[in-house]
Amino acid sequence: MRYAITVITIAALSGLFAFPRPSSAETALVMVVNSYDINHSWVRAHNDALRERLASRARIDGFDMDTKRIPPEAYRDAAERAWQAIEAAKPDVVVLTDDNAVRLLGPRVMRKGIPLVFLGVNQNPRTYLGGMEGATGVLERPLYKRSLIFLREIMGPKLKRSLILFDSGATSQVIMNTAFKDKTSLKLGGTSADVRQVGTFAEWQQAVLSAGDRGYNAIFAGLYHSLTDDQGMHVPYDTVITWTSANASVPVFGYWDFSVGPDRAVGGLVNSGRPQGEAAAELVLKILDGEPAGSLYPVTPKDGQFLFSRSGLRRWNIHLPDSVTRAAEPVRYVD
């Protein structure tokens, strides 16, 4: 996958070495390494934003590590192939998207002295990159607890308990550690929630089918992108969320925009990939204009936005309260 841009870059190797800045007649190269695959809606959204914002400044090469669909024991081999692609391309800036790429490649990129921009990181990036002398980027902060409070406003006192479901992938584990502090239950705004991780689609299905009988009034479909079937094969993302919507006996909500739709989650206070890509592109542009990556503070895009499926709201007879419909950021709808 190759996109278009022009780049000027100052890259610091432990703060001591700077790359020469390309002349106006030269075209620079940005290498984007995705933790996941380009067919993942989140990846496509932030890659599109990067491509559009940087189109007049340089060329872009891409590499997909595909770590949502391959087993964890294959991650390091994927990272090694990504590193070989970086070495061959000799990029002026490397963009690493999401935690796996940053964890497995970030330190090597920094040691090489290539300016590094990350996006979609849930963990504290210093956990992966230390002092970040040659790195900056965009943090991802889904609004798990605020979503629970807003859901109480939407559903009213009938919401007593919620089930929050995640797969057992690396990103989900980071979220459990950072956002939920490894707690499997919480209580906010007069409602309680249980957080559960599962590894297989069969376990996910059992949790969804039994949710109503176990006293849950709503389900949050967190990450479901690393689930496997009985033969250990990856289950397609769309299969999981459409099955969940069709078979749940209680309404399903989401944390990301790709989860919401007529045959998906009803809605939620969601994060989107596009703002991640836009913010990362702005950092890349600053680097291309001569600012060292390590001098740029990491950023967090604006808070999530309400997104709802009209057909989903009708199906579950949910009427959005004024606190949602009259929020400063307008509600977005999909059919």
Side-chain angles (χ1 to χ4, degrees), residues 68 165-167 171-172 175 204 221-226 256 258:
K68 287 293 186 186
L165 280 176
F166 283 93
D167 60 28
T171 303
S172 294
I175 291 170
W204 180 281
L223 292 175
Y224 44 84
H225 298 73
S226 296
W256 288 273
F258 54 73

Side-chain angles (χ1 to χ4, degrees), residues 57-199:
R57 299 296 304 275
R59 296 177 296 116
I60 299 180
D61 269 355
F63 186 95
D64 295 343
M65 291 174 57
D66 206 11
T67 59
K68 287 293 186 186
R69 302 189 297 185
I70 61 175
E73 55 268 25
Y75 288 4
R76 292 201 175 274
D77 179 64
E80 185 59 35
R81 287 185 283 110
W83 179 250
Q84 291 172 4
I86 292 170
E87 290 266 62
K90 297 179 172 56
D92 298 284
V93 178
V94 169
V95 177
L96 301 179
T97 78
D98 298 289
D99 287 69
N100 286 340
V102 179
R103 174 173 61 88
L104 294 167
L105 291 167
R108 295 176 78 173
V109 172
M110 290 176 60
R111 287 195 297 270
K112 189 73 174 180
I114 308 172
L116 168 61
V117 175
F118 56 79
L119 65 80
V121 172
N122 291 277
Q123 180 62 273
N124 182 337
R126 293 185 183 276
T127 301
Y128 305 136
L129 304 174
M132 302 206 314
E133 293 87 354
T136 187
V138 187
L139 305 173
E140 181 189 356
R141 294 293 182 262
L143 305 172
Y144 305 108
K145 294 180 180 179
R146 280 183 60 190
S147 292
L148 192 59
I149 294 172
F150 280 122
L151 186 58
R152 173 75 174 188
E153 292 185 30
I154 292 168
M155 296 187 66
K158 66 181 178 182
L159 178 66
K160 304 295 184 183
R161 297 177 66 206
S162 299
L163 175 64
I164 303 174
L165 280 176
F166 283 93
D167 60 28
S168 57
T171 303
S172 294
Q173 192 56 56
V174 169
I175 291 170
M176 288 296 298
N177 295 340
T178 57
F180 295 106
K181 309 300 181 185
D182 290 325
K183 295 180 179 179
T184 57
S185 62
L186 60 153
K187 188 168 185 177
L188 285 171
T191 184
S192 62
D194 294 330
V195 188
R196 184 178 173 190
Q197 282 187 274
V198 298

Side-chain angles (χ1 to χ4, degrees), residues 307-328:
L307 174 66
F308 290 94
S309 162
R310 290 188 177 90
S311 59
L313 292 171
R314 288 194 298 269
R315 173 188 172 187
W316 295 103
N317 195 29
I318 295 173
H319 302 278
L320 299 180
D322 290 346
S323 59
V324 172
T325 59
R326 296 182 182 178

